[in-house]
Amino acid sequence: MTFFLITYSPHHPITSLQLRYFVPFQQLRQQPTIVVDSTGLGAALTLAHWRGAATPEPLRDDTSAGSVLRALRQTHTPGLAAAAVTANHFDVDGFVGVWALLNPELALQHEALLRLVATLGDFRELDWQHPQAHHALQLVCWLNAEEKARFYEPFGAPARRRREDEASAEKFAWFLPRFAAVLHNPAPYRAIWEQEYSRVLQAVAVLHSAATTVRRYPQIGLTVVRTPEPLPYYALFSASRGTDMVLSLYDGQRYEFEYKYTTWIDLESRPTLPRLPLDALAARLNALEATPRRWTHDGITDTGPLLRLSGKGLTKPQRYADPDQRPLYTSSVPAEELEQEVVRFFEAGYGGIAPRRYWSWAEIRAVSA
């Protein structure tokens, strides 16, 4: 299915009406195409925050949707006149960017809200003091619930023997004509979004209670959250805004460390430190660990690498799911000692390295070579 929208820009004569429509990623080269939250050869314009993406410098933003919103305010951007729009996967940020290109006037009217939605979807961060925070959470929860009920979970296409760039087109076809109604008024859709929304709010209450302590180590970009039980990301990572690593310490000596997605992409708003390989840290924790389980980790090019005491290896959908949706195992290492080991590792590893923007993957690998 293809969707068309007639748009008018005051910077162009009224005769320059433009039809803009979504195409599956495989059709990228069949016509001039704007590529959102993806990269592809032959794109007329790339609007993506992926590391090394060819997004024009004036349009760089923390999220791909943010780059789209910048482009909509700079109507003479080369390539923006292309009629077709595509993405090679479906997620909240990419969807908001595609939808905004097809609905530019509505998108600019709701720019602040859409930026919150894209940030929450990709970084799992939300400023709870923002007047539209709850509206943004409701929209993301609606997208999540409908995606899982009608299609498949994020990163779930390969398990169904399908390519994400092909299968995701069905999601865009369903969501694009329906999103505006929920954006305007989420209330009629409460039965769909309320379950996850309520779960997140309950977790936020725990995060802000005396049961939880949050420590930040800004010099290494680490947030440590000590709380009784695992929390959903939309609550947990709200405590980590402005940092790029989270160490979660749960009761029963259960732990998880994670590099946030903010260091997989080219973050525009602030400089970051490069990811360090976790081999040496895992080896140190294994030397301390007295249980039969072993500390394992993902590679630094994973979207959100985890370091955790392992059982059976996690699939990509499990790693993307909330921490309270996967098993966590008891370690013999006390929480205070674990925190000290993590902090010591990164303080040593980042010695002499200054935060900056736009690290290449080659530069990141060279840091610890």
Side-chain angles (χ1 to χ4, degrees):
M1 185 178 294
T2 303
F3 299 95
F4 295 87
L5 183 75
I6 296 178
T7 64
Y8 167 66
S9 168
H11 301 289
H12 296 82
I14 197 166
T15 55
S16 65
L17 293 176
Q18 176 185 351
L19 291 173
R20 193 174 280 150
Y21 56 95
F22 177 81
V23 298
F25 192 73
Q26 300 95 316
Q27 299 178 22
L28 163 61
R29 301 188 197 182
Q30 295 181 15
Q31 65 285 302
T33 304
I34 302 171
V35 174
V36 178
D37 202 32
S38 322
T39 58
L41 294 175
L45 173 63
T46 298
L47 298 172
H49 61 169
W50 289 18
R51 195 173 298 282
T55 304
E57 187 171 350
L59 306 183
R60 288 177 172 176
D61 203 283
D62 284 358
T63 63
S64 296
S67 288
V68 169
L69 291 163
R70 290 191 185 213
L72 293 179
R73 295 193 179 278
Q74 300 184 42
T75 55
H76 294 291
T77 296
L80 189 60
V85 182
T86 195
N88 70 358
H89 66 289
F90 183 95
D91 66 11
V92 173
D93 179 32
F95 170 75
V96 169
V98 169
W99 183 89
L101 282 167
L102 271 61
N103 299 268
E105 291 185 5
L106 270 178
L108 291 177
Q109 289 172 19
H110 297 278
E111 179 171 1
L113 175 58
L114 293 177
R115 285 182 173 277
L116 286 177
V117 169
T119 299
L120 180 58
D122 250 16
F123 303 154
R124 282 89 171 260
E125 299 175 358
L126 187 59
D127 177 6
W128 290 102
Q129 303 306 311
H130 195 286
Q132 293 180 298
H134 287 264
H135 192 170
L137 178 60
Q138 290 162 10
L139 290 172
V140 172
C141 290
W142 176 80
L143 286 164
N144 291 343
E146 292 286 27
E147 180 183 15
K148 292 174 184 176
R150 298 179 182 276
F151 302 98
Y152 55 88
E153 72 279 9
F155 299 103
R160 291 158 177 80
R161 298 184 178 180
R162 302 190 67 187
R163 288 166 51 104
E164 172 63 20
D165 60 355
E166 171 265 326
S168 63
E170 299 167 8
K171 296 183 182 181
F172 282 100
W174 193 89
F175 280 105
L176 283 168
R178 292 171 171 84
F179 182 66
V182 191
L183 175 69
H184 283 300
N185 183 14
Y189 306 90
R190 175 178 290 273
I192 298 169
W193 53 255
E194 186 169 34
Q195 182 177 2
E196 184 180 17
Y197 173 78
S198 297
R199 176 170 150 259
V200 171
L201 292 190
Q202 291 170 4
V204 170
V206 173
L207 187 72
H208 293 162
S209 74
T212 300
T213 58
V214 177
R215 285 181 294 279
R216 295 166 72 93
Y217 297 85
Q219 72 278 14
I220 55 174
L222 173 69
T223 296
V224 178
V225 179
R226 188 163 188 172
T227 195
E229 295 296 329
L231 303 176
Y233 277 123
Y234 297 156
L236 178 66
F237 277 13
S238 67
S240 71
R241 292 169 58 233
T243 64
D244 302 302
M245 303 181 294
V246 176
L247 175 62
S248 303
L249 309 175
Y250 304 116
D251 286 357
Q253 296 188 181
R254 296 168 298 157
Y255 315 123
E256 222 171 35
F257 167 87
E258 184 164 357
Y259 279 122
K260 291 169 58 181
Y261 188 60
T262 49
T263 49
W264 191 85
I265 53 92
D266 277 334
L267 200 67
E268 166 63 23
S269 62
R270 59 179 174 82
T272 61
L273 288 162
R275 291 177 173 181
L276 301 179
L278 298 172
D279 308 68
L281 178 56
R284 172 60 181 163
L285 296 180
N286 280 324
L288 298 172
E289 186 62 51
T291 74
R293 299 189 184 277
R294 309 306 291 162
W295 288 86
T296 62
H297 61 89
D298 305 305
I300 59 172
T301 58
D302 189 89
T303 52
L306 291 171
L307 170 70
R308 65 198 304 275
L309 202 58
S310 69
K312 184 179 178 181
L314 299 178
T315 65
K316 182 65 175 179
Q318 286 175 315
R319 285 186 281 123
Y320 185 82
D322 285 322
D324 60 350
Q325 303 297 304
R326 55 181 175 250
L328 289 166
Y329 304 103
T330 297
S331 170
S332 65
V333 183
E336 293 80 4
E337 184 177 0
L338 184 90
E339 180 176 340
Q340 291 170 5
E341 291 291 343
V342 171
V343 170
R344 187 179 300 119
F345 171 80
F346 284 104
E347 285 181 340
Y350 287 141
I353 301 175
R356 65 176 178 82
R357 293 174 174 83
Y358 310 129
W359 293 89
S360 70
W361 283 116
E363 290 170 329
I364 292 171
R365 292 186 182 97
V367 164
S368 53

